[in-house]
Amino acid sequence: GRKAVAARKCLGRTPATLFLQAQTAGLAHDEASAAPLFRELTQHSETSMLGWRGLITAALKNERYDDVSALLAEALKQNPDAPWLHNLRVTLAARRGQWLEADAALQLASTQKQLRTSPENKLQQAGICLAKAQDAAQQNHMNSALAEAEQAVRLQPGWLPALLELSHAQLRAGHDKAAARSIA
């Protein structure tokens, strides 16, 4: 901390010295000092992402998810092309069990090519479909449950949780033979 202050005194209040001080305060668990410094970093184009990451990381660490949502919205306005922000939007919605929001965020990020098409993203999409299928089944929306389970299997054909959910949905819909084929 003393070295960070000394650097600021020698070099002035530059983005680099601000980041050094903010990071030092964050590592010392002094969020009261770190937050305004990270906030100031968001105002500089070359360090805005560092500032947003610092603020969001602190909010996540303290499980302040409403703050994370607000910070995420601000960061996306300033940096709409940052893939990690889109990943965080999907993760935050999934953590809250907001499957429609998670799916919408994932679809938007994919269409904007903010998330690379990869096996992990396909699994993430399948997981969201699986959760939506389970929610629909709990609410007795069997057609939706079946459609979401089928989509999960299309995305991850050999994934056991998706296959089991599909077979359950097929059984509930009265498709006994199809359910048997799904898990065979």
Side-chain angles (χ1 to χ4, degrees):
R2 287 188 295 271
K3 299 286 185 189
V5 171
R8 192 195 73 228
K9 286 181 181 176
C10 288
L11 300 172
R13 195 169 182 87
T14 66
T17 59
L18 282 173
F19 177 67
L20 185 59
Q21 276 191 280
Q23 195 68 5
T24 302
L27 290 172
H29 306 289
D30 183 5
E31 289 184 38
S33 297
L37 294 167
F38 279 124
R39 180 58 79 172
E40 190 172 341
L41 285 170
T42 67
Q43 304 307 311
H44 299 280
S45 61
E46 64 271 13
T47 59
S48 70
M49 293 306 289
L50 294 172
W52 290 118
R53 190 175 291 271
L55 290 168
I56 290 170
T57 299
L60 279 171
K61 185 173 74 176
N62 293 308
E63 298 180 359
R64 295 188 325 257
Y65 299 119
D66 290 337
D67 291 348
V68 173
S69 292
L71 291 166
L72 182 59
E74 284 184 73
L76 279 167
K77 284 180 194 170
Q78 190 176 3
N79 305 288
D81 297 330
W84 73 273
L85 291 173
H86 291 281
N87 279 327
L88 180 60
R89 184 173 168 225
V90 172
T91 302
L92 185 61
R95 179 175 282 163
R96 290 179 157 184
Q98 298 169 333
W99 304 115
L100 294 176
E101 169 64 21
D103 189 36
L106 191 59
Q107 296 306 319
L108 177 65
S110 296
T111 59
Q112 292 179 345
K113 300 201 182 342
Q114 296 305 317
L115 296 176
R116 294 177 310 213
T117 303
S118 68
E120 294 83 20
N121 290 340
K122 292 266 189 203
L123 182 58
Q124 195 173 32
Q125 287 176 315
I128 290 170
C129 289
L130 180 62
K132 286 167 51 179
Q134 291 168 342
D135 283 354
Q138 286 177 345
Q139 298 171 11
N140 280 337
H141 298 134
M142 294 310 153
N143 289 338
S144 295
L146 185 57
E148 292 295 344
E150 287 171 344
Q151 180 63 20
V153 170
R154 274 194 293 279
L155 290 165
Q156 290 293 310
W159 192 36
L160 185 59
L163 290 169
L164 290 173
E165 188 62 35
L166 176 59
S167 68
H168 285 134
Q170 289 168 328
L171 281 173
R172 288 187 295 263
H175 305 296
D176 297 352
K177 289 181 183 177
R181 282 192 307 270
S182 293
I183 56 174

